[in-house]
Structure formats: C-alpha cells, structure tokens
C-alpha cells in the first residue's frame, strides 16, 4: 500500500507561529530531507494507526450490536390536555322585520387530546376536544319580548398543521363541531344540536419534552334555522369564538 503521506507536497506548507508568514516556506521540507529516518518512521506510525483502527473495527463486528437511540421528538405522538379561557357566543335573532344580537362573554373550560406526526418540516395532527362555552344570555327583542339564548357546550374534531421553530410551533386548524343552542321566547323553548365547521390558529410551546403550553383561537358556527315561538316566526343565527390557554402532556 502506498501512503498518500509519501506523495504529499510539503512545499505548500508554511511555517506558523510567532515568525512572519512566508519567511521560511521550505524549512519543514529541508528538515525532513536531512533526517532520512523521519519519513519512514512517520509512515510506519500512520500504518500502525490504520492497522489498529482496522483491528478494532473488525472486533466490533463480532460483539453485541450497539444501536444509537433516536432523539425524542418534541411534537410527534399522542397528547392530552386541559384548557381555560374566554368565550363569546353571539346569536342574531330576526323576527317581524326586526333583528337584534344577543352576546354573552363567559369563562370557558375544556379538555383536548390528539396525535401528531412529523412530516418533513411540518407537524400534522388530529385533535378532539370538549368545551364548556358558558351560560345563556337574557335580553329583550323588539317583537319577541323577553328572550333567553345561548350555547353551553361544544364537542369537535379538527386537523392541525404546524411549522416547528425550535421549541415553538405556530399552527392552523380546521374541522367540525357539534354544539347545542337554546332560544326561549314567547313561552316556548327551542333547543337543538347542530354540526358546523370550525377554524382556528394558535401557538404551542414545548416547555419540556413532555409538557407543552399553547394559546389557541377558534371560530365556529353553531346554528342557523327558523322556528315558531308562540305563533311568531323567528330566525336565529349563532356562532362562537374563544381564546383558550392550554396545558398538555405528550406520551
């Protein structure tokens, strides 16, 4: 075997240290040529290192295989969490050519859980949630009189796509939700459960490998229908939006 060291052109090397660069460009070559035993010894040392390395590699093939563990992902896998925040449910009630909005801002609480996959630079996931939206709002309508309306709960499923940046992940979401809605007027109560779309966005932060916190905004439809209330026709259209702070643990 011919060592590449023997063919190395030492003329390209320059002296380093405290001296000025380029003062003695051939000094190392002169030393090597004047000490004729140095080159063979260096070549032997290089060969020795190669032989020892080859022997060690050969011994490793007969030992127990060692597998390097993959680093744990911050985002992939299942997770469960709790959330709390502020919810606003707005119901537009139209009757007799008159329209009025009934809005209620309330505390909201919920649970959520899902599963994430890392695909290239993105995180794709599915998530389910159940949320308490608040109580009913009371007011007066120009033609219906005393009205009580609102939505108390929502259960949904959505898909998420996120873009991790270190331990931060902004994301978008979209899915469907089932929510209840109540409208009481003229001595009649109309209670319904409808399925509607939901869209949202948020920012999730991996505080540790297992614990994550997030701020999540959701906008969803609730109901859009017509009914009679004590012989008076009325149309209701309702929606909800909320901002929730969540804490989750991945597994």
């Amino acid at each position: 075997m011919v060592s590449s060291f023997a063919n190395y052109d030492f003329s390209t090397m320059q002296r380093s240290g405290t001296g000025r660069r380029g003062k003695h460009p051939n000094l190392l070559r002169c030393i090597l040529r004047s000490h004729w035993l140095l080159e063979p010894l260096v070549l032997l040392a290089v060969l020795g290192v190669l032989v020892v390395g080859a022997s060690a590699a050969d011994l490793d093939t007969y030992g127990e295989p060692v597998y390097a563990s993959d680093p744990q992902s911050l985002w992939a896998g299942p997770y469960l969490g709790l959330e709390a925040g502020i919810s606003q449910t707005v119901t537009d009630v139209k009757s007799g050519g008159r329209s009025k909005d009934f809005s209620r801002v309330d505390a909201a609480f919920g649970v959520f859980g899902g599963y994430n996959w890392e695909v290239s630079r993105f995180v794709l996931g599915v998530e389910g949630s159940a949320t308490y939206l608040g109580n009913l709002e009371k007011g007066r309508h120009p033609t219906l009189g005393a009205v009580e309306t609102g939505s108390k709960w929502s259960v949904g499923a959505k898909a998420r796509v996120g873009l991790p940046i270190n331990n931060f992940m902004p994301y978008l979401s979209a899915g469907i939700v089932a929510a209840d809605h109540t409208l009481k007027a003229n001595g009649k109560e109309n209670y319904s459960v409808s399925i509607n779309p939901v869209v949202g966005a948020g920012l999730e932060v991996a505080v540790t490998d297992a614990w994550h916190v997030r701020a999540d905004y959701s906008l969803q439809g609730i109901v859009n229908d017509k009914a009679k209330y004590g012989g008076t026709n009325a149309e209701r259209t309702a929606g909800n939006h909320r901002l929730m702070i969540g804490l989750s643990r991945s597994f």
Side-chain angles (χ1 to χ4, degrees):
M1 180 180 71
V2 179
S3 172
S4 60
F5 185 89
N7 295 326
Y8 189 87
D9 185 2
F10 288 95
S11 64
T12 61
M13 300 185 62
Q14 297 181 354
R15 182 181 177 181
S16 61
T18 59
R20 290 176 297 177
R21 184 170 181 176
K23 184 177 179 182
H24 300 292
N26 295 321
L27 179 60
L28 183 56
R29 182 179 181 186
C30 294
I31 293 174
L32 290 173
R33 294 305 181 189
S34 62
H35 295 78
W36 58 273
L37 284 176
L38 188 57
E39 284 189 349
L41 289 176
V42 174
L43 289 174
L44 287 175
V46 173
L47 289 174
V49 171
L50 293 175
V51 170
V52 172
S55 300
D58 187 61
L59 288 174
D60 288 342
T61 58
Y62 295 97
E64 291 293 329
V66 178
Y67 301 99
S69 58
D70 294 332
Q72 183 178 358
S73 171
L74 288 175
W75 311 106
Y79 61 91
L80 290 172
L82 301 172
E83 59 183 357
I86 299 175
S87 167
Q88 182 182 26
T89 299
V90 180
T91 304
D92 178 39
V93 180
K94 297 178 181 179
S95 179
R98 305 292 297 275
S99 176
K100 185 175 181 178
D101 290 341
F102 297 88
S103 173
R104 183 179 181 89
V105 177
D106 218 331
F109 308 92
V111 296
F112 61 92
Y115 197 98
N116 289 327
W117 296 268
E118 287 197 39
V119 180
S120 184
R121 293 184 57 193
F122 298 93
V123 171
L124 305 180
V126 292
E127 180 177 295
S129 63
T131 309
Y132 169 75
L133 301 178
N135 214 328
L136 303 181
E137 178 70 10
K138 296 180 181 180
R140 293 194 64 84
H141 189 273
T143 58
L144 292 175
V147 169
E148 189 172 350
T149 184
S151 181
K152 291 186 176 182
W153 59 264
S154 172
V155 176
K158 58 186 179 182
R160 298 197 311 162
V161 55
L163 179 62
I165 305 172
N166 296 324
N167 62 322
F168 293 86
M169 185 180 72
Y171 63 86
L172 299 175
S173 61
I176 57 173
V177 290
D180 78 320
H181 191 270
T182 299
L183 176 58
K184 299 178 181 179
N186 284 339
K188 182 179 179 181
E189 175 180 345
N190 192 351
Y191 176 83
S192 63
V193 176
S194 304
I195 297 177
N196 286 281
V198 58
V199 294
L203 176 65
E204 187 169 337
V205 181
V207 180
T208 67
D209 289 347
W211 292 97
H212 293 195
V213 295
R214 75 182 192 181
D216 183 89
Y217 174 79
S218 296
L219 173 64
Q220 69 176 65
I222 294 179
V223 67
N224 184 9
D225 68 2
K226 296 179 180 180
K228 286 185 176 292
Y229 297 85
T232 303
N233 291 323
E235 180 182 355
R236 56 176 176 162
T237 302
N240 171 271
H241 69 132
R242 56 189 178 272
L243 177 63
M244 309 291 281
I245 303 299
L247 174 66
S248 64
R249 190 183 191 285
S250 57
F251 301 93

